[in-house]
Amino acid sequence: MTRYALTLEWDGTPYMGFQRQAHGPSVQQAVEEAAASVVGHAVTLHAAGRTDTGVHARAMRAHFDSDKALPPFRLSEALNARLRLAGHVVAVLDCVEVGEDWHARFSCTGREYEYVIINRRAPLTLEAARAWRVARPLDEAAMHAAAQALVGKHDFTTFRSVHCQAASPVKTLDRLDVRREGDRVLIGAAARSFLHHQVRSMVGCLALVGRGEWPVGRVAEALAAKDRGKLGLNAPPEGLYFIRATYPGE
Amino acid sequence: MTRYALTLEWDGTPYMGFQRQAHGPSVQQAVEEAAASVVGHAVTLHAAGRTDTGVHARAMRAHFDSDKALPPFRLSEALNARLRLAGHVVAVLDCVEVGEDWHARFSCTGREYEYVIINRRAPLTLEAARAWRVARPLDEAAMHAAAQALVGKHDFTTFRSVHCQAASPVKTLDRLDVRREGDRVLIGAAARSFLHHQVRSMVGCLALVGRGEWPVGRVAEALAAKDRGKLGLNAPPEGLYFIRATYPGE
């Protein structure tokens, strides 16, 4: 048995997220079908994180096991060829053999997302479905200041989807920073793990601060309330990118 | 009569370039139709430069004249609404009134393009139709060195499309630089004006240098030959972006 670890990039637009769904296409199904056709038997793909419909990945880490021993480079080339042939917008950026104690989800000790806002009046063309357009001017310094109240170990109930399956709403947010590059406002978030919708919910509230609709302190109040009803806004999925998963010894 | 100057962004994928074509959609037609429906009469749009099928624009400058005096902000909002409604991927980033002596094409004193290569093995997903993927490793320092032979006033016949309508093949290239940002290799080109296919032809030859197929000096030899048959490769349109037009007094 060989365990292959993949680094995946995808355009989230046509997928119902990473996880297999009965009612629509998923990244998991796309890669599992490509892998099955290469190795000649059904495989199960495990990823560092789930993602929602429309959410992108720059470098998701995943793995599957196979009876077939193939040079990893040949495997990644074959997977990419099959994914393209099937019309998928998923690419294998890297493929390596790992030990059986390495698990894409359970060994992962850190996850990072980036959220891309384009802060301008005009509709998006080149970045359509790649960013959230916010027309009103955003004060990124106020957003960054408000974000710092969320960093640390907290009960994130306010920023959690009603569909979240995590055992506890308590998470430790390692980093939440906001910076501007021209008309782009970029929000980086890092944690060991996140609740369902947590990043989009945090970004939505920061955008309200940026537009001047919420005072900076209201984000801390919303957190303290531990009440989903206090959430201001859930940012749309198309601005969200899973950008990094970290593992011990890397 | 009022002259309106527009700054346009577009995704070049669905268009046969800027200029109106009998056999397919163009950016000119898209904007002229939107403008006609706003001002109530036919208009003619003039742009700083033509672009080929599939070539993108970040900030093309253009103008049209109208009998109707509208606040420029209202005009740009109306144009964007109509462009979206018609399913176009063209956006008006800015709209101002200019004097009748200002001409998007004839007043323009500088044009800049950026060419985006993604230098990696895996197919593109998020950047599909937004960049040229080059699988073999590129030596960007060799590319930059080779590019410097093209800077200055030269007969660019080698780098000119057979369909080029310019009166003379002699142009002055002000800047051609190559830099790497991670797996992206970015080529910037600036001149008062360019020949048809000039940027893509120069980029194609630089890519041959970057892949080690051409020695650095061969670009200078190709230029000196003044022979289209000495062109190594024309880079594909999807990596090319018109990024800036400059005007006196700006």
Side-chain angles (χ1 to χ4, degrees):
Chain A
M1 202 280 296
T2 309
R3 179 159 292 185
Y4 297 101
L6 307 177
T7 303
L8 300 173
E9 177 189 88
W10 67 76
D11 168 5
T13 314
Y15 302 107
M16 318 280 304
F18 174 79
Q19 201 173 29
R20 246 182 207 272
Q21 303 287 342
H23 56 299
S26 63
V27 175
Q28 184 179 17
Q29 184 181 359
V31 179
E32 286 178 349
E33 287 177 359
S37 100
V38 175
V39 299
H41 61 78
V43 306
T44 302
L45 190 71
H46 300 270
R50 297 176 183 184
T51 57
D52 285 331
T53 301
V55 172
H56 313 296
R58 284 275 174 206
M60 178 61 80
R61 304 287 288 274
H63 81 265
F64 70 90
D65 295 332
S66 173
D67 299 333
K68 195 148 176 178
L70 281 170
F73 179 76
R74 253 190 68 203
L75 176 58
S76 68
E77 293 282 290
L79 287 173
N80 280 329
R82 275 164 177 79
L83 285 163
R84 273 187 88 84
L85 202 65
H88 284 296
V89 280
V90 179
V92 177
L93 303 187
D94 192 47
C95 176
V96 290
E97 269 187 52
V98 289
E100 283 179 46
D101 58 338
W102 191 94
H103 193 287
R105 179 172 169 205
F106 298 120
S107 305
C108 180
T109 54
R111 292 162 173 92
E112 288 179 56
Y113 286 90
E114 184 172 64
Y115 196 96
V116 180
I117 295 174
I118 298 187
N119 189 202
R120 74 180 199 188
R121 189 83 203 156
L124 302 181
T125 70
L126 288 157
E127 279 83 17
R130 299 282 182 276
W132 179 26
R133 178 187 65 111
V134 174
R136 263 182 290 171
L138 289 173
D139 177 347
E140 70 277 10
M143 292 168 71
H144 183 76
Q148 301 324 301
L150 300 175
V151 175
K153 187 175 178 179
H154 302 289
D155 178 330
F156 281 97
T157 295
T158 304
F159 301 93
R160 178 188 197 183
S161 158
V162 292
H163 303 295
C164 181
Q165 291 167 23
S168 160
V170 176
K171 292 284 174 190
T172 299
L173 183 63
D174 297 322
R175 180 172 65 81
L176 187 64
D177 47 39
V178 183
R179 69 184 199 281
R180 178 181 285 274
E181 290 180 2
D183 66 2
R184 283 167 193 252
V185 175
L186 304 167
I187 298 149
R192 187 178 179 97
S193 63
F194 289 91
L195 299 168
H196 189 210
H197 280 188
Q198 186 182 345
V199 179
R200 289 166 56 194
S201 296
M202 295 190 301
V203 168
C205 293
L206 295 180
L208 292 175
V209 171
R211 298 199 299 217
E213 291 165 64
W214 272 26
V216 168
R218 187 142 163 207
V219 172
E221 289 167 23
L223 175 70
K226 304 183 183 77
D227 174 3
R228 184 73 180 165
K230 293 288 183 289
L231 182 77
L233 184 65
N234 203 28
E238 63 266 26
L240 187 59
Y241 295 74
F242 185 97
I243 61 165
R244 195 171 297 116
T246 51
Y247 295 87
E250 285 197 352
Chain B
M1 203 281 293
T2 309
R3 179 159 290 185
Y4 297 101
L6 307 178
T7 303
L8 299 173
E9 177 190 271
W10 67 76
D11 167 6
T13 315
Y15 302 106
M16 318 281 303
F18 174 79
Q19 200 173 29
R20 244 181 210 272
Q21 303 287 342
H23 54 299
S26 64
V27 175
Q28 184 178 15
Q29 184 181 0
V31 178
E32 287 179 349
E33 288 178 358
S37 98
V38 175
V39 300
H41 61 80
V43 306
T44 301
L45 190 71
H46 300 270
R50 296 175 184 185
T51 57
D52 285 331
T53 300
V55 172
H56 313 295
R58 285 273 176 208
M60 178 61 80
R61 305 285 289 273
H63 80 265
F64 69 90
D65 295 333
S66 174
D67 301 332
K68 196 148 176 178
L70 280 169
F73 178 76
R74 253 189 67 201
L75 176 58
S76 69
E77 292 282 291
L79 288 172
N80 280 329
R82 274 163 178 82
L83 286 163
R84 272 187 89 84
L85 202 65
H88 285 297
V89 280
V90 179
V92 178
L93 303 186
D94 192 46
C95 177
V96 291
E97 270 186 51
V98 289
E100 281 177 48
D101 58 338
W102 191 94
H103 193 289
R105 180 172 168 205
F106 299 121
S107 307
C108 180
T109 55
R111 292 162 174 91
E112 287 179 55
Y113 285 91
E114 184 171 66
Y115 197 96
V116 180
I117 294 173
I118 297 187
N119 189 202
R120 73 179 201 191
R121 189 82 203 155
L124 303 182
T125 68
L126 288 157
E127 279 82 18
R130 299 282 182 276
W132 179 26
R133 178 187 65 110
V134 174
R136 262 184 290 170
L138 290 173
D139 177 346
E140 71 277 10
M143 293 168 70
H144 183 77
Q148 301 324 300
L150 301 174
V151 174
K153 187 175 180 178
H154 302 289
D155 179 330
F156 282 97
T157 294
T158 304
F159 302 92
R160 178 189 198 183
S161 159
V162 292
H163 302 294
C164 183
Q165 292 168 22
S168 161
V170 176
K171 292 286 174 188
T172 300
L173 182 63
D174 297 322
R175 180 172 64 80
L176 187 64
D177 47 39
V178 183
R179 69 182 199 282
R180 179 181 284 275
E181 290 180 2
D183 66 1
R184 284 167 193 252
V185 174
L186 303 167
I187 297 149
R192 186 178 180 95
S193 63
F194 290 92
L195 298 169
H196 190 209
H197 279 189
Q198 188 182 343
V199 179
R200 288 167 53 193
S201 296
M202 296 190 299
V203 168
C205 293
L206 295 180
L208 292 174
V209 171
R211 296 199 299 216
E213 292 163 65
W214 274 26
V216 168
R218 187 143 164 207
V219 172
E221 289 167 24
L223 175 70
K226 303 184 184 76
D227 173 2
R228 183 75 181 164
K230 293 287 183 289
L231 182 75
L233 184 66
N234 204 26
E238 64 266 25
L240 187 59
Y241 294 74
F242 185 97
I243 60 164
R244 197 172 295 117
T246 51
Y247 295 87
E250 284 195 352

